[in-house]
Amino acid sequence: QVQLVESGGGLVQAGGSLRLSCAASGRTLTSYRLGWFRQAPGKEREYVAAIRWSEPTTYYLDSVKGRFTISRDNAKNEVYLQMNSLQPEDTAVYYCAADFAGALADTRYDYWGQGTQVTVSS
């Protein structure tokens, strides 16, 4: 089992920045991929970004490319999502997820955090 706990959400004005963190525990994450999803009210869940635990390869949703950056700290067992130039359409609950191996673009994940709210005001 992998436990995931997100933090760092909040309220920010358009154009601002937030950094989300996800602390992972319960298992060595070698060969895992870590991802961020988001879901806004009334909308389908979106796959925002992903990174492999042991490789530098990343995945990004087209609409966040150039604004969001996913990274990890292997020593701390944490993954981050730096979000810059935030827009009201980025408002959503953001979830951290983990899955063993698999393609980075694969949206099927086994382990999920509880989510953290990000609200961007115009």
Side-chain angles (χ1 to χ4, degrees), residues 30-83:
T30 304
S31 298
Y32 274 71
R33 56 195 174 102
L34 279 293
W36 287 96
F37 290 78
R38 68 185 182 187
Q39 188 162 22
K43 295 187 177 181
E44 293 192 356
R45 186 171 60 195
E46 288 187 306
Y47 187 31
V48 177
I51 189 168
R52 294 198 184 280
W53 198 251
S54 304
E55 298 173 17
T57 50
T58 56
Y59 162 89
Y60 291 99
L61 179 69
D62 283 347
S63 62
V64 307
K65 286 180 180 177
R67 300 189 298 124
F68 291 11
T69 303
I70 189 170
S71 62
R72 50 173 165 68
D73 186 326
N74 292 34
K76 293 184 178 180
N77 257 24
E78 293 185 350
V79 64
Y80 310 103
L81 187 67
Q82 177 66 43
M83 306 185 294

Side-chain angles (χ1 to χ4, degrees), residues 82-95:
Q82 177 66 43
M83 306 185 294
N84 299 328
S85 301
L86 283 162
Q87 299 302 316
E89 52 266 35
D90 295 315
T91 295
V93 177
Y94 283 71
Y95 298 90

